[in-house]
Amino acid sequence: MLTRTDLNLSMLPQAGSPPVRWRISDGLVPYEDAVAEMEREVAAIADGRADELVWLLEHPPLYTAGTSANSADLIEPDRFPVFSTGRGGEYTYHGPGQRVAYVMLDLKRRRQDVRAYVAALEELVIRTLDMMNVRGERREDRVGVWVRRPEKPLLPDGSMAEDKVAALGIRLRRWVSFHGLSLNVDPDLSHFTGIVPCGISTYGVTSLVDLGLPVMMADVDMRLREAFEEIFGATASEPAAA
């Protein structure tokens, strides 16, 4: 079986497809509002009433539980609001300083291949990081994007320490994607201690600022968009909300 690394990562749409709408929200978007908006957008995309959409935003501090979440991994259930969600994966944290990208694409217009889609989202983060001289890597036994930390103590098995810099969690309805990815730009990393992030306790969590890269969110967004267009095709900015 092909690994995610070996897959063809191009997810370009069919010829003649309209550009993907590109939306950036200012401020902190409540999680319930974001999910309701995703529901509306995905239904419209699936019905052919709307073009595909990538929505970039930040949330207030919260935890989300994916479909594989283990209640034992919620260490501090009263610390922040906890939301059950239909995406795959386990517990994760969202909060200020973290760029969340909700990616709503119609895979019927692209490739109806879930593994290739997940690998393409990982590649989106890897290419974004590469533009900032950070080497992100995928691991076949764990979803997300990881960075090596040679300055940290070795792991118990003698291998190099690694930290997670981006998490992924997706859901499909009628082959239209929900949810997406979160890239840690400059969140409060102590907020991750209330959960076992993605059910993995062996590795840590990092951010671009923690890695010594004092980057602005707008700079990250610009590079995300450039990498997205390489893998998924053209985008078109939405008008600013009134």
Side-chain angles (χ1 to χ4, degrees):
M1 178 182 294
L2 288 175
T3 66
R4 295 199 311 281
T5 302
D6 296 328
L7 289 168
N8 174 5
L9 298 179
S10 173
M11 294 292 290
L12 294 174
Q14 299 167 357
S17 296
V20 178
R21 289 176 292 148
W22 194 264
R23 178 188 302 170
I24 302 177
S25 289
D26 295 327
L28 302 179
V29 179
Y31 188 76
E32 307 99 310
D33 294 352
V35 171
E37 178 68 4
M38 272 196 291
E39 291 278 353
R40 288 190 290 268
E41 290 285 1
V42 166
I45 293 167
D47 291 340
R49 295 182 285 108
D51 296 334
E52 298 168 304
L53 172 66
V54 173
W55 184 15
L56 305 184
L57 52 83
E58 295 174 79
H59 285 305
L62 59 94
Y63 297 129
T64 64
T67 54
S68 302
N70 182 341
S71 59
D73 290 337
L74 182 59
I75 299 170
E76 298 182 45
D78 300 323
R79 186 171 185 181
F80 298 125
V82 181
F83 297 93
S84 296
T85 177
R87 63 158 175 81
E90 304 184 51
Y91 281 103
T92 193
Y93 166 76
H94 294 313
Q98 182 188 72
R99 177 49 88 211
V100 174
Y102 288 134
V103 184
M104 290 161 264
L105 302 180
D106 187 349
L107 300 192
K108 297 190 301 296
R109 309 178 199 175
R110 297 171 179 273
R111 291 168 63 192
Q112 291 177 260
D113 185 329
V114 177
R115 289 179 67 244
Y117 176 61
V118 170
L121 289 179
E122 290 173 333
E123 184 68 14
L124 168 61
V125 176
I126 289 168
R127 294 190 191 187
T128 300
L129 295 176
D130 185 63
M131 294 177 198
M132 296 180 284
N133 298 312
V134 175
R135 183 180 178 184
E137 300 179 74
R138 64 170 54 81
R139 295 289 179 262
E140 293 302 325
D141 59 339
R142 29 190 162 101
V143 174
V145 178
W146 305 79
V147 292
R148 299 174 187 243
R149 304 301 300 270
E151 74 279 13
K152 289 190 171 184
L154 296 177
L155 297 176
D157 64 0
S159 62
M160 185 182 295
E162 297 181 354
D163 286 342
K164 194 171 194 175
V165 70
L168 272 70
I170 69 164
R171 178 184 179 187
L172 297 179
R173 180 181 297 160
R174 296 164 62 190
W175 284 102
V176 178
S177 61
F178 276 73
H179 301 281
L181 63 91
S182 56
L183 174 60
N184 295 331
V185 179
D186 188 20
D188 185 337
L189 295 179
S190 71
H191 290 177
F192 284 89
T193 61
I195 56 172
V196 178
C198 301
I200 302 173
S201 58
T202 306
Y203 306 96
V205 179
T206 190
S207 68
L208 296 181
V209 170
D210 182 53
L211 292 169
L213 192 68
V215 64
M216 302 295 290
M217 193 70 77
D219 296 326
V220 174
D221 292 347
M222 180 175 64
R223 291 167 173 81
L224 267 172
R225 187 169 186 168
E226 183 177 341
F228 181 91
E229 291 184 338
E230 292 175 355
I231 301 168
F232 295 98
T235 64
S237 297
E238 286 195 335

